Amino acid sequence: MIQIPDNKITQKYKEFYNHPIIQSLALNPRWTFSTNKKIPIDIRSLQLKRKLEWAEFRDERSLATLPECLKLIPEPANHAYFLDAYQDNLIIVDVEPGCPSDITDTIMNMPWLYLETSMSGKGYHFVFEFPYQILSKYPHAAEKSVLKHPDNYFEILIQHYITFTRNIIPRKPGN
């Protein structure tokens, strides 16, 4: 279990910090925070220069582990993580607020591992196991960092930043 500071924010989001998916990603040096416009912040620049810059690199040159981020800013507004599905064995399905309810319900009934509301509070972030068998059938899709629904109802993030709001939605019984 990762060590997190004990404060008002970490207590409020205790379920997030203790979630098995977050615990499995916590020590990967691909964490940061994002602005309210979802721009990832360069943690190293913030640490060393005390300067707010966007994260130029998607590794430890600009990013840090989750405990390091919390040491720098113990009560953050959010967390951003650079997901690499090939390393993390996970994908994110980012469902937009305008997604029709039948599509959202279909995704909701799939075997997701983690679910939270988006920054707007009207969309969703689903975490799923990486579907290697599906992408192996579609090599063109495997080359993409994001797969977008034609009507922008959702995106499947493969190698991309995700801003975690920490507003977890628990799995309903029977799902």
Side-chain angles (χ1 to χ4, degrees), residues 59-121:
D59 57 28
E60 63 278 349
R61 292 173 290 173
S62 290
L63 308 174
T65 66
L66 184 57
E68 287 177 290
C69 289
L70 287 167
K71 187 174 181 183
L72 184 63
I73 300 177
E75 298 188 13
N78 63 47
H79 289 288
Y81 180 76
F82 184 76
L83 177 82
D84 184 330
Y86 301 100
Q87 290 180 30
D88 299 324
N89 297 311
L90 301 168
I91 60 166
I92 306 284
V93 178
D94 184 356
V95 177
E96 299 301 328
C99 184
S101 60
D102 61 322
I103 295 174
T104 301
D105 291 346
T106 298
I107 298 169
M108 188 78 70
N109 288 313
M110 295 172 77
W112 48 268
L113 304 170
Y114 173 90
L115 172 59
E116 69 174 23
T117 58
S118 63
M119 286 178 71
S120 70

Side-chain angles (χ1 to χ4, degrees), residues 107-175:
I107 298 169
M108 188 78 70
N109 288 313
M110 295 172 77
W112 48 268
L113 304 170
Y114 173 90
L115 172 59
E116 69 174 23
T117 58
S118 63
M119 286 178 71
S120 70
K122 297 175 183 173
Y124 302 99
H125 299 148
F126 292 86
V127 177
F128 290 95
E129 286 184 44
F130 187 82
Y132 288 102
Q133 67 283 8
I134 294 171
L135 283 185
S136 66
K137 293 179 185 178
Y138 304 97
H140 180 68
E143 296 170 4
K144 305 282 186 184
S145 61
V146 177
L147 301 173
K148 296 184 180 196
H149 184 275
D151 294 318
N152 293 318
Y153 293 150
F154 61 85
E155 300 176 337
I156 299 171
L157 309 180
I158 299 171
Q159 291 181 307
H160 200 276
Y161 279 100
I162 177 69
T163 298
F164 284 109
T165 63
R166 302 168 292 182
N167 295 318
I168 293 179
I169 299 173
R171 185 176 292 282
K172 293 178 184 174
N175 281 356

